[in-house]
């Protein structure tokens, strides 16, 4: 901890935009917190500002905007808030996700906030000019749009993503098996497609792409689509089958709990493909996607260049995972949180480097096996032909016995090379397990997390009625 001022100054900005010096900052809501989103603006009005939503089983849920107070206590005081409420509005149903509009148009663009629940809603956040609590300027949340595919009924929206290249575009996923691309300027759906066989639980544009997106759903698959060619899609990953034990079993979904030939009751032998609940696309390297399944304790890392299986497994949670997010500035760093009240930070750089080395070895072994197989085939053909061939100047002359012996050696070498290539290839098919590099224990199960885009040393987590920001 640094002494002196309780916050870092940011050149050219007012105290509203100062960054905290202490390691943990708090906000205490009057409602259970579910969704979180950091503002993407780095001006004085948005540097350390968040949106959050409640989870209430009643038609009076809240959307709040909070901001770091310039009057916050520099000491670690868990019972005192460091963020103050600057804006609030209501929604009928809980929101499954919140996002602020990407800053593609500069500070002159409206400050828009989107949320998904019963429909896709867009609010504009504007300062009112009034002073509020904790020395902060008040703002208002004015609803600009409510978008649904049908006027009479719209299937609930499970998630959405805002396109980084063209902020006019938002893509939503729904329990009706569809994904819909919206133009927020016209407030009309541009494209709607059936993306999965069952409910779609999450969707995201691939980083640095205006057209390519991926989705995850209740059918246990991750699929990739291109808006320029929607007649085709690619299944990148399918969750492996899991045992479906009774709901009271504490080891639900954990196949490793049941040893082979252990005489498990037949009711527990029924397998199912677990739904994939969330996915996160790597913000720097578009090749990698993180995902997790229902009741899973493991985050799976997928490489879209090698579809079909995970390349890395993040193993460390002791309960079902609720959220995962890539770092906005590092291609190898992630954060996850779950029902075990733990927030885990991972670095998979070494695991990816090891796997790339294994892949190069497998390719080299396969090339060697192919070459030796060709030589063995040629040797066998030469020894079994039975036709005398006149030796030319400089040619080796072999007897039939020596030729047969040589072909046997070539065949043996080829078989050995094929076995080595298969072993090397098998290494690349098995995911690498990685342990967390940092761990934080919250007081309650963590429902959500968000990584600060402009200050990547900060993440925020939501548990119970509390929002905490943590310095990594």
């Amino acid at each position: 901890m640094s002494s002196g001022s309780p916050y870092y100054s940011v050149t050219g900005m007012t105290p509203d935009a100062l960054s905290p010096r202490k390691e943990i900052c708090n906000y205490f809501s009057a409602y259970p917190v579910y969704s979180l989103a950091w503002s993407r603006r780095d001006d004085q009005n948005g540097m350390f500002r968040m949106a959050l939503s409640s989870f209430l089983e009643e038609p009076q849920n809240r959307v709040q905007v909070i901001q770091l107070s310039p009057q916050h206590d520099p000491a670690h005081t868990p019972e005192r808030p460091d963020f103050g409420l600057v804006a609030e509005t209501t929604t009928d149903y809980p929101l499954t996700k919140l996002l602020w509009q990407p800053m593609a148009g500069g500070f002159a663009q409206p400050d828009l906030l989107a949320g998904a629940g019963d429909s896709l809603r867009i609010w504009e956040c504007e300062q009112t000019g009034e002073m509020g609590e904790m020395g902060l300027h008040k703002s208002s949340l004015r609803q600009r749009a409510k978008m649904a595919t049908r006027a009479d009924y719209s299937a609930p929206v499970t998630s959405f993503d805002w396109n980084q290249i063209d902020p006019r575009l938002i893509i939503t996923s729904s329990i009706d098996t569809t994904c819909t691309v919206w133009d927020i300027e016209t407030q009309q759906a541009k494209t709607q497609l059936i993306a999965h066989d069952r409910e779609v639980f999450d969707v995201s544009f691939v980083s640095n792409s205006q057209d390519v997106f991926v989705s995850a759903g209740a059918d246990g698959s991750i699929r990739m689509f291109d808006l320029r060619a929607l007649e085709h899609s690619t299944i990148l990953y399918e969750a492996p089958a899991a045992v479906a034990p009774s709901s009271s079993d504490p080891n639900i979904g954990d196949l490793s709990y049941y040893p082979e030939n252990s005489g498990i009751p037949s009711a527990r032998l029924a397998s199912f493909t677990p739904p994939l609940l969330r996915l996160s696309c790597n913000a720097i390297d578009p090749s990698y996607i993180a995902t997790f399944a229902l009741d899973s304790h493991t985050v799976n890392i997928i490489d879209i260049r090698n579809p079909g299986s995970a390349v890395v497994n993040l193993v460390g949670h002791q309960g079902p995972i609720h959220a995962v997010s890539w770092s906005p500035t590092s291609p190898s760093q992630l954060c996850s949180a779950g029902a075990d009240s733990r927030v885990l930070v991972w670095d998979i750089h070494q695991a990816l480097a090891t796997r790339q080395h294994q892949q190069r070895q497998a390719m080299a072994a396969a090339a060697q096996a192919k070459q030796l197989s060709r030589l063995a085939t040629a040797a066998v053909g030469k020894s079994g032909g039975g036709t005398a061939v006149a030796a030319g100047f400089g040619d080796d002359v072999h007897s039939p016995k020596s030729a047969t012996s040589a072909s046997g050696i070539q065949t043996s070498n080829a078989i050995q090379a094929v076995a080595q290539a298969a072993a090397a290839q098998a290494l690349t098919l098995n995911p690498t397990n990685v342990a967390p590099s940092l761990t934080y224990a919250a007081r309650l199960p963590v429902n959500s997390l968000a990584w600060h885009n402009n200050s990547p040393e900060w993440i925020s987590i939501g548990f119970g009625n509390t929002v905490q920001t943590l310095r990594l």
Side-chain angles (χ1 to χ4, degrees):
M1 295 241 333
S2 301
S3 60
S5 172
Y7 33 70
Y8 294 122
S9 64
V10 182
T11 304
M13 295 186 180
T14 69
D16 285 7
L18 298 178
S19 171
R21 276 186 182 264
K22 62 186 192 179
E23 307 299 311
I24 301 175
C25 295
N26 298 305
Y27 173 74
F28 306 110
S29 175
Y31 315 99
V33 176
Y34 185 70
S35 299
L36 290 175
W38 281 104
S39 173
R40 295 179 177 177
R41 300 173 75 96
D42 58 3
D43 63 345
Q44 63 185 23
N45 296 322
M47 185 64 181
F48 262 78
R49 184 179 57 175
M50 276 186 287
L52 58 100
S53 66
S54 67
F55 189 91
L56 298 172
E57 295 183 6
E58 56 186 59
Q60 279 296 318
N61 279 270
R62 300 295 198 279
V63 179
Q64 298 179 326
V65 177
I66 61 175
Q67 191 162 341
L68 179 69
S69 169
Q71 301 172 0
H72 75 275
D73 190 347
H76 178 54
T77 49
E79 72 282 357
R80 295 186 58 181
D82 303 293
F83 285 78
L85 180 66
V86 296
E88 185 176 41
T89 189
T90 61
T91 61
D92 291 338
Y93 298 98
L95 298 182
T96 56
K97 190 173 183 178
L98 286 167
L99 279 179
W100 293 90
Q101 185 179 29
M103 291 298 296
F107 296 133
Q109 72 182 43
D111 196 9
L112 301 183
L113 174 68
D118 59 329
S119 59
L120 177 65
R121 299 170 186 264
I122 308 289
W123 297 273
E124 182 174 356
C125 186
E126 299 176 296
Q127 280 199 349
T128 63
E130 302 176 33
M131 287 299 296
E133 60 183 42
M134 302 178 67
L136 295 167
H137 292 90
K138 286 185 177 181
S139 298
S140 65
L141 282 173
R142 179 175 60 88
Q143 183 169 296
R144 290 185 42 158
K146 178 182 177 182
M147 289 171 274
T149 53
R150 292 173 53 181
D152 56 341
Y153 169 77
S154 180
V157 179
T158 54
S159 187
F160 73 99
D161 192 32
W162 216 318
N163 193 285
Q164 303 285 330
I165 306 299
D166 186 354
R168 296 174 301 174
L169 301 181
I170 288 179
I171 187 166
T172 60
S173 57
S174 175
I175 65 170
D176 65 359
T177 76
T178 66
C179 290
T180 306
V181 180
W182 299 89
D183 186 325
I184 65 171
E185 289 188 352
T186 63
Q187 300 182 20
Q188 298 295 319
K190 293 188 64 175
T191 304
Q192 186 177 57
L193 69 148
I194 296 176
H196 287 256
D197 300 326
R198 297 175 60 191
E199 299 94 330
V200 189
F201 289 142
D202 205 2
V203 66
S204 176
F205 285 106
V206 173
S207 61
N208 301 317
S209 175
Q210 184 175 332
D211 303 296
V212 180
F213 68 91
V214 291
S215 59
D219 58 6
S221 70
I222 291 179
R223 306 189 182 199
M224 175 175 281
F225 300 86
D226 191 324
L227 293 175
R228 298 162 295 187
L230 288 175
E231 62 273 13
H232 303 292
S233 66
T234 302
I235 297 178
L236 299 177
Y237 176 72
E238 289 183 305
V243 172
S246 64
S247 59
S248 61
D249 193 327
N251 299 284
I252 183 169
D254 186 0
L255 281 172
S256 64
Y257 174 71
Y258 306 104
E260 291 186 39
N261 304 318
S262 61
I264 307 169
S266 58
R268 291 187 174 184
L269 290 176
S271 65
F272 75 110
T273 301
L276 295 178
L277 298 185
R278 285 288 181 257
L279 59 81
S280 178
C281 291
N282 193 308
I284 307 300
D285 188 340
S287 299
Y288 296 106
I289 299 170
T291 188
F292 59 88
L294 175 70
D295 292 322
S296 175
H297 300 185
T298 302
V299 176
N300 309 115
I301 308 299
I302 315 302
D303 186 343
I304 66 174
R305 297 165 297 187
N306 298 285
S309 61
V311 295
V312 174
N313 287 337
L314 308 184
V315 181
H317 279 286
Q318 299 170 0
I321 298 169
H322 291 164
V324 66
S325 177
W326 289 91
S327 164
T329 56
S330 170
S332 62
Q333 200 171 30
L334 304 91
C335 184
S336 61
D340 57 357
S341 306
R342 304 175 78 195
V343 181
L344 305 181
V345 178
W346 317 80
D347 195 325
I348 62 172
H349 173 75
Q350 187 58 48
L352 293 179
T354 299
R355 190 169 187 85
Q356 289 169 358
H357 177 67
Q358 291 173 343
Q359 288 174 334
R360 287 192 294 267
Q361 286 183 320
M363 292 175 63
Q368 182 184 22
K370 186 175 181 181
Q371 177 64 18
L372 289 175
S373 295
R374 272 201 299 263
L375 292 175
T377 302
V380 170
K382 186 175 181 180
S383 65
T387 304
V389 180
F393 179 77
D395 288 344
D396 291 328
V397 179
H398 299 281
S399 66
K401 183 177 180 180
S402 65
T404 302
S405 176
S407 68
I409 293 173
Q410 294 280 11
T411 302
S412 176
N413 289 341
I415 293 173
Q416 184 178 2
V418 169
Q420 291 173 345
Q425 182 64 29
L427 282 177
T428 67
L429 295 178
N430 296 323
T432 304
N433 290 341
V434 175
S437 55
L438 292 172
T439 301
Y440 175 77
R443 295 193 305 272
L444 294 169
V446 180
N447 295 320
S448 57
L449 70 87
W451 210 310
H452 200 304
N453 287 275
N454 299 319
S455 296
E457 70 274 19
W458 290 94
I459 61 169
S460 61
I461 59 173
F463 56 90
N465 289 30
T466 302
V467 176
Q468 281 189 337
T469 60
L470 313 173
R471 187 196 297 276
L472 299 180

